[in-house]
Amino acid sequence: MTAARAATAAVLLLLVVAVVLVVAPDLAGLHGTTPFAQVVALRGPVGAALALVGLVLLLPRRRALVPFAVVLLLGAVTQAAVLAQRGLGPGQASAAARPSDAVTVLVLNTQGRVGAEELAALVVAQHADVVVLPETLRATAERAAALAAEQGRDLQVLADDGAGGTVGATALLVDSGLGTYAITDHHPGPMASFTARGDGAGPVVAAVHPYPPLPGDMDTWRTGTAAAVGLCTTTADVVAGDFNATLDHPALATRPPGCADAAEGRAAASGTWPSTWPRSLSAPIDHVLVDETRWAVHAVTVLDAPAGTDHRGLVAVLVPASAQS
């Protein structure tokens, strides 16, 4: 083998390794580290970039470039296959024709900028029974509940304004028909997360908002996401919120047995952030996790983002698991 061919083979091998680590960093245990955690959260843009570069390499019609193009295109196809398997669509209609025993869960990170009027309208339109609102102050949630009451909805307000202003606050609205709810546990972390239990047939709900995967503080992100996901089946029937993580990250990739992501197979690849990007290119970081022994998923919808936030809303219609057996 000539020196030139050896160099080409070495570069091709490095490209193969790089593409594998980008597409499947979990194979090397890197899906919880910088920069792989950030890159794998954006499978859509990364897949598009791999496809674009691969096609560009084919344009000169040089045989030496074909192996490099093939590697890149295979990476793009793999990304597309993962997204398709998880579900790229917006989901099914959730507000219409829902079963009488259904519980509808709505998650929306308002970033403190969605008005109470818009929130109330959204809750009423989606027939939401459980509404998890990261980055939402108690005062806003109470005003939204009052406006929803004018349209016939009786919603309890539970909230923790945290210690970091609006970003650290989390609010929860629960339909009174599910029972009388109270916060039973506040979970540690820079942003408020808590569990609420009712005295009726409604689910035990954990409203969560773990710290984001900032390169300088990945330990806090890993610990927070693991703690949030760990509440599923052990502490709560429903764990919902802005997880700042996708199904590719360690916490969600190793969920407790019996803990299901409501959107998986339906709309789990339809990105919720940032909403300024197309759904296929943004990151699906907002989730509803359910204990499969208690609840089954009837329908899931990824909503358009209301004015004021760059998070899309997520709606999951749940029915008692016993009704599915």
Side-chain angles (χ1 to χ4, degrees):
M1 180 182 292
T2 66
R5 286 186 176 181
T8 298
V11 172
L12 182 60
L13 179 60
L14 288 174
L15 180 63
V16 170
V17 171
V19 170
V20 169
L21 290 179
V22 165
V23 173
D26 56 302
L27 295 178
L30 297 173
H31 53 320
T33 64
T34 301
F36 300 100
Q38 290 78 9
V39 171
V40 79
L42 298 170
R43 284 190 180 272
V46 171
L50 291 173
L52 178 61
V53 176
L55 292 173
V56 168
L57 289 180
L58 291 176
L59 291 179
R61 297 187 179 182
R62 292 177 55 187
R63 182 177 299 178
L65 295 178
V66 170
F68 298 92
V70 168
V71 170
L72 294 170
L73 292 173
L74 285 175
V77 169
T78 302
Q79 296 283 56
V82 171
L83 295 175
Q85 181 183 34
R86 291 178 180 172
L88 274 167
Q92 303 161 280
S94 59
R98 71 174 198 160
S100 59
D101 57 354
V103 172
T104 298
V105 181
L106 166 64
V107 175
L108 177 66
N109 183 332
T110 70
Q111 296 185 313
R113 297 196 295 266
V114 178
E117 295 80 5
E118 290 80 8
L119 278 178
L122 184 61
V123 170
V124 171
Q126 294 299 323
H127 300 274
D129 303 299
V130 175
V131 186
V132 177
L133 301 169
E135 299 191 30
T136 305
L137 293 168
R138 175 186 292 274
T140 303
E142 289 178 341
R143 176 60 179 157
L147 291 171
E150 296 176 1
Q151 302 182 61
R153 297 299 310 275
D154 184 8
L155 298 167
Q156 306 161 71
V157 178
L158 301 99
D160 183 344
D161 281 353
T166 302
V167 173
T170 300
L172 171 67
L173 307 180
V174 183
D175 190 284
S176 295
L178 297 179
T180 301
Y181 274 69
I183 295 177
T184 56
D185 298 286
H186 289 269
H187 306 298
M191 297 178 287
S193 297
F194 56 84
T195 295
R197 299 172 182 267
D199 58 6
V204 179
V205 179
V208 301
H209 189 198
Y211 197 71
L214 301 180
D217 201 356
M218 294 294 285
D219 284 342
T220 301
W221 170 72
R222 284 189 293 266
T223 301
T225 52
V229 175
L231 297 172
C232 184
T233 73
T234 60
T235 300
D237 305 340
V238 174
V239 183
D242 173 4
F243 283 73
N244 278 311
T246 74
L247 294 179
D248 290 298
H249 292 131
L252 286 163
T254 57
R255 300 189 299 274
C259 177
D261 185 287
E264 191 163 14
R266 298 173 175 86
S270 185
T272 57
W273 177 87
S275 61
T276 51
W277 294 9
R279 294 168 187 253
S280 59
L281 299 181
S282 48
I285 61 174
D286 299 274
H287 302 271
V288 175
L289 306 182
V290 299
D291 182 343
E292 292 181 299
T293 66
R294 295 225 38 216
W295 300 95
V297 181
H298 176 73
V300 172
T301 305
V302 178
L303 305 173
D304 292 334
T309 179
D310 63 1
H311 279 256
R312 294 183 179 93
L314 177 67
V315 177
V317 180
L318 310 179
V319 294
S322 58
Q324 301 294 299
S325 58

